[in-house]
Amino acid sequence: MRIVVALGGNALLRRGEPMTAENQRANIRTATEQIAKIHPGNELVIAHGNGPQVGLLSLQGMAYKPDEAYPLDVLGAETEGMIGYMIEQELGNLLAFEVPFATLLTQVEVDANDPAFKDPTKFIGPVYSKEEAEKLAKEKGWVVKPDGDKYRRVVASPKPKRIFEIRPIKWLLEKSSIVICAGGGGIPTMYDENRKLKGIEAVIDKDLASALLAEQLEADLLVIATDVDAAYVDWGKPTQKAIAEAHPDELERLGFAAGSMGPKVQAASNFARNTGKVAVISSLENIEDIVKGTAGTRVSTAKPGISYR
């Protein structure tokens, strides 16, 4: 079975943790211990977030002159290499030496006219108090928005249109490689008026890019890993219920928050609707049961309606 696993940000750095290499490696080690369990007999593609990492690199760049700071597309490429290296090494330490790995820098096309450029929503970097965030926004020209009880910088998050490296990803899978790609949603690129490809100051949603990746790879299963065991209705209330199975139409009607479960639900729905296959939202601790079809929120067009656990 060909499986695309989209690692949530918590798999790399937990909320409030210092952004040290040691913390990131420890979290990646925990994630790869789960992923290693489903390697036998399956083709694996791993995508991942990069919000804290690209935000940190952006902050570091502010120590230089404005014209010396690297743009977000270049920083995104840097994080793909850094995180891919850690995933390769930690997963490689768990699997047989003969298993090949490849981390691919992945360019993803976006539309210059995407409305996201007029309304930035994608969180990057660390959390701040309201006072700190407002000060930084004034100093650096950022847009900041609430993220829970804290504030973070936000940038445009245009929808992914095309993954340019899809052919080499397929070639690597045919050679039994584990492929790490589309990190951070991929490197946002677009064509200019001369049909020349260029990077753009944005961050593509990792889950939406992973869904497009899984679709274009004709994957059998998309696993959207998060820090809860399923998508819930009435989350945090006495009436909360875990969703076991849902048709995309029914799931989308529930109106999940854009800043949390919303993109995951949208990504799972996109994949299920466009392919007729199954997407699952759950935590990595359930990875074996997810593959068996007995855990998480399973999204498919196989039958109408919605059921709860």
Side-chain angles (χ1 to χ4, degrees):
M1 186 160 55
R2 181 171 289 181
I3 304 171
V4 173
V5 179
L7 295 178
N10 64 294
L12 308 175
L13 194 70
R14 300 189 183 280
R15 189 177 181 88
E17 272 188 334
M19 287 191 288
T20 65
E22 291 78 11
N23 283 340
Q24 292 177 69
R25 183 176 288 278
N27 289 326
I28 287 172
R29 185 177 303 119
T30 299
T32 55
E33 286 171 353
Q34 301 301 319
I35 294 172
K37 296 176 181 178
I38 62 168
H39 176 254
N42 294 311
E43 296 178 342
L44 295 182
V45 180
I46 301 171
H48 59 81
N50 72 343
Q53 292 80 11
V54 78
L56 176 61
L57 291 178
S58 179
L59 283 175
Q60 291 173 342
M62 293 297 177
Y64 298 90
K65 296 177 183 177
D67 59 350
E68 295 175 341
Y70 289 170
L72 280 178
D73 60 304
V74 175
L75 299 183
E78 290 182 13
T79 63
E80 284 192 336
M82 175 185 71
I83 296 168
Y85 156 68
M86 290 186 179
I87 293 174
E88 279 196 29
Q89 197 168 75
E90 293 301 328
L91 191 53
N93 286 334
L94 297 168
L95 300 178
F97 177 79
E98 293 77 17
V99 176
F101 292 84
T103 296
L104 261 64
L105 290 176
T106 313
Q107 298 180 88
V108 177
E109 185 182 6
V110 300
D111 188 340
N113 297 315
D114 193 301
F117 289 108
K118 296 180 180 179
D119 181 25
T121 59
K122 189 67 176 176
F123 292 110
I124 66 168
V127 296
Y128 302 100
S129 68
K130 183 178 181 180
E131 293 74 19
E132 290 175 311
E134 290 175 346
K135 180 182 178 183
L136 287 167
K138 186 176 181 180
E139 290 176 354
K140 304 180 184 301
W142 290 355
V143 177
V144 296
K145 292 184 178 180
D147 182 14
D149 61 348
K150 298 290 185 178
Y151 280 72
R152 293 175 72 189
R153 181 188 177 192
V154 290
V155 297
S157 183
K159 292 181 180 179
K161 293 177 56 181
R162 172 168 48 168
I163 296 170
F164 286 103
E165 285 76 17
I166 202 71
R167 286 182 299 166
I169 295 170
K170 289 181 178 178
W171 297 336
L172 287 162
L173 288 173
E174 289 167 1
K175 296 298 183 181
S176 301
S177 290
I178 293 175
V179 183
I180 300 122
C181 59
I187 304 164
T189 54
M190 63 174 62
Y191 285 103
D192 64 17
E193 61 277 7
N194 299 313
R195 290 295 296 171
K196 299 295 184 182
L197 200 61
K198 65 175 184 178
I200 190 70
E201 191 84 348
V203 173
I204 301 167
D205 182 81
K206 172 265 305 175
D207 294 312
L208 294 180
S210 298
L212 179 62
L213 172 69
E215 179 183 341
Q216 294 189 349
L217 288 177
E218 300 177 335
D220 301 293
L221 177 67
L222 170 62
V223 178
I224 300 178
T226 184
D227 56 356
V228 291
D229 62 344
Y232 281 76
V233 294
D234 295 340
W235 173 252
K237 300 178 181 179
T239 54
Q240 74 176 30
K241 293 187 294 184
I243 300 169
E245 296 185 40
H247 188 281
D249 295 346
E250 296 294 330
L251 195 61
E252 289 174 343
R253 288 192 189 103
L254 295 176
F256 290 91
S260 56
M261 192 59 73
K264 302 181 189 307
V265 166
Q266 184 64 63
S269 298
N270 288 354
F271 176 73
R273 192 177 283 121
N274 294 340
T275 67
K277 304 287 184 63
V278 175
V280 182
I281 302 171
S282 190
S283 60
L284 281 178
E285 287 83 355
N286 299 322
I287 190 72
E288 291 176 292
D289 290 331
I290 289 170
V291 174
K292 292 175 184 175
T294 59
T297 295
R298 297 177 60 80
V299 185
S300 81
T301 56
K303 56 184 179 181
I306 187 167
S307 62
Y308 299 91
R309 297 191 191 282

